[in-house]
Amino acid sequence: MSTPPRDIPGLAPPLAPQAAQGVTLADMIGSVGSTIHWTRWLMLVAAMFLSDLVWLIPDTLQQSHHTPSWFIAQEWVRASAADVVMALAVLFLFRWIRVALAASALAGLAYAAAMIPVHMGIIAILTPSSTQPGFSVTYSGAPYAFLHSFVAAFFLFGSIAIALPRIRPMWLGLGVGSVAGSLLANLASSLIIFAQFGRKFSVSSLFEMTNIGYALGSGAILAAAFWGGLALVGFRPGDSVAGIAPPIITGRAAEVQKAANFRILRRILRGAGIGSTVFGVIATALGIASLQENGVNAILILLGIFLFAEGVWLLVSPSPAGMIVDGFALIALGCWNIFVTVSNGSSGGPAGFAALGLFQIIWGIQSFARYRRFSSLPMARPDKATSEWLDSILKSAASKDPGGDVVRFQVREKKALRDWRGKLLDDFGLFFDVKAQLIIVAGRDAARITPIGTPVSGQNTPVGISLGGRNWEGEFDFLNWERFNQWKTSAK
């Protein structure tokens, strides 16, 4: 049986278990699907609504004498809907993405995009029919409304996500993050208003101090209400666990696993890098060609340059973080294509760009899902000798005549059987999906095949498969099952 190179220069030693860190925002909200976690989400919605009362009640009192009641009702309904949508965005995206600012930014984008149709629906439903003939809705302020929604979610939950695991005690971290996020969101909103109206927008020092007071009160109430609600249901640090880590492997097996993980990552990002580079060149060319028609196409040029640079980065230096950048880039380009289609709709422009934009947004979201899979995997770029050795092992094991030290079996995934091979080396086994979507390095003690029933010569036997902490059901034929057992019981 062949063995990997004993010395693999340039590879870091196996990752040591990290010290326990503070509870994250994802821990406090919990995973999707459990009753207790949906209870936490409802508590977050309730806490956000209570924090909104800081400005809803004063605004209602001030407008009650000169503003129609239906308009005031719109504000309350809009605030409630915004709390529900924002909490949903945070609930899902903080479970997908482990980088705090990336999760906050994507949650902000999702919230801002979702609030546009929600806002229009509220206006259509709550505006009296007698008012509608003279009431028109324009899109001139839509970009600024989108920015307001985005900064509200990004700064609020980004600050909480950064402060929470770093400040003790936990309630203080939640409080500092909530107050800081509210203040930053208020400052950003003021800058957006100034950019929108310029010199036409004049404020007094009393107005600014009032806004700061609203932000301080809103952040403090949000933290107190959410923390108090969690305490009521008996939340304790460590209740939410993202997953169980596979057994730690060391030595040469760990080095080969790192190289194998990097190989898969590079293969996946190669397609994304090529796609981003192509989209970047096309976007830049289209933006330059149409810049004289409309100055807003300068945004398309910037998007194109960003896509091209990001694509080159993915090809030259692939890393899990590149999946986050690729996701943002594709979502931004998809939003642009949808925006262009909507803007040109009145002139009979083609609708194909909207369909392309939708697919680009889906591809971007898939990048975030892939990031969650790869972000926790130890990996390192292997040297040339190790890379060539790994490629030759995988190629020979996947051939039609792989040799006597290779086992063939099938793994059931989503009711379908996928072909797997296992290269049985002296020190460990190298098990992989034939399509090379997953490679697992496992020693004899971490590789188990358990028949479900009695193995029969010449027939496939249902088995339980455990490799490196991962478990499946599948099928083994009798000859390969005997070969695997001989390797399991042989001396190292």
Side-chain angles (χ1 to χ4, degrees), residues 81-396:
D83 294 335
V84 172
V85 173
M86 188 185 295
L88 276 175
V90 172
L91 172 68
F92 282 96
L93 293 169
F94 270 88
R95 298 308 306 175
W96 284 1
I97 303 173
R98 300 184 182 184
V99 179
L101 290 181
S104 304
L106 188 60
L109 287 174
Y111 164 67
M115 281 307 297
I116 293 176
V118 170
H119 174 75
M120 302 302 297
I122 291 173
I123 292 177
I125 294 173
L126 295 182
T127 301
S129 56
S130 59
T131 308
Q132 288 181 0
F135 183 82
S136 63
V137 179
T138 65
Y139 292 91
S140 60
Y144 294 101
F146 184 91
L147 285 176
H148 278 290
S149 299
F150 171 73
V151 299
F154 174 71
F155 284 110
L156 177 59
F157 288 100
S159 300
I160 294 174
I162 291 174
L164 191 57
R166 293 172 173 82
I167 299 178
R168 300 290 189 279
M170 197 184 314
W171 62 265
L172 181 59
L174 178 61
V176 170
S178 299
V179 172
S182 297
L183 289 172
L184 290 173
N186 177 72
L187 175 61
S189 294
S190 298
L191 293 176
I192 293 172
I193 293 174
F194 182 77
Q196 182 178 4
F197 297 102
R199 295 180 179 179
K200 297 179 181 179
F201 178 70
S202 58
V203 296
S204 64
S205 57
L206 178 61
F207 178 82
E208 284 297 334
M209 292 300 295
T210 301
N211 279 344
I212 292 175
Y214 284 169
L216 287 171
S218 178
I221 291 176
L222 171 61
F226 188 37
W227 177 254
L230 292 178
L232 287 176
V233 297
F235 172 75
R236 296 292 183 272
D239 283 354
S240 301
V241 180
I244 300 175
I248 296 175
I249 56 175
T250 58
R252 286 175 292 156
E255 295 169 350
V256 173
Q257 183 68 78
K258 289 180 182 180
N261 291 340
F262 182 84
R263 184 182 186 276
I264 298 173
L265 175 72
R266 182 179 58 193
R267 178 178 177 179
I268 292 176
L269 288 184
R270 183 183 293 119
I274 294 173
S276 293
T277 304
V278 172
F279 278 132
V281 172
I282 295 175
T284 303
L286 289 176
I288 293 175
S290 55
L291 185 60
Q292 293 182 348
E293 298 179 10
N294 194 325
V296 77
N297 287 311
I299 299 177
L300 182 59
I301 298 176
L302 294 176
L303 280 174
I305 295 173
F306 176 70
L307 277 169
F308 179 80
E310 173 255 338
V312 172
W313 174 40
L314 294 183
L315 293 173
V316 174
S317 183
S319 68
M323 295 177 176
I324 295 293
V325 179
D326 184 55
F328 278 124
L330 286 172
I331 289 174
L333 187 59
C335 291
W336 169 264
N337 285 327
I338 293 175
F339 168 75
V340 168
T341 303
V342 173
S343 299
N344 296 336
S346 58
S347 58
F353 284 109
L356 175 61
L358 180 61
F359 279 114
Q360 287 168 333
I361 292 173
I362 294 174
W363 294 335
I365 294 174
Q366 289 176 341
S367 292
F368 297 119
R370 285 195 297 267
Y371 168 80
R372 184 177 182 184
R373 171 187 169 190
F374 282 92
S375 61
S376 60
L377 294 179
M379 65 180 64
R381 183 190 292 270
D383 66 299
K384 183 177 180 181
T386 304
S387 181
E388 291 177 350
W389 174 86
L390 184 59
D391 288 342
S392 66
I393 288 290
L394 295 173
K395 183 177 180 180
S396 64

Side-chain angles (χ1 to χ4, degrees), residues 438-478:
L438 181 62
I439 301 174
I440 297 177
V441 179
R444 289 174 173 82
D445 57 340
R448 293 182 295 276
I449 307 294
T450 307
I452 303 175
T454 303
V456 179
S457 179
Q459 298 182 10
N460 283 355
T461 300
V463 294
I465 302 170
S466 178
L467 300 173
R470 298 171 182 260
N471 301 296
W472 299 273
E473 290 185 355
E475 293 184 1
F476 248 80
D477 64 41
F478 186 78

Side-chain angles (χ1 to χ4, degrees), residues 12-32:
L15 295 177
Q18 296 180 349
Q21 296 182 351
V23 172
T24 65
L25 181 57
D27 293 326
M28 297 188 73
I29 297 174
S31 303
V32 178

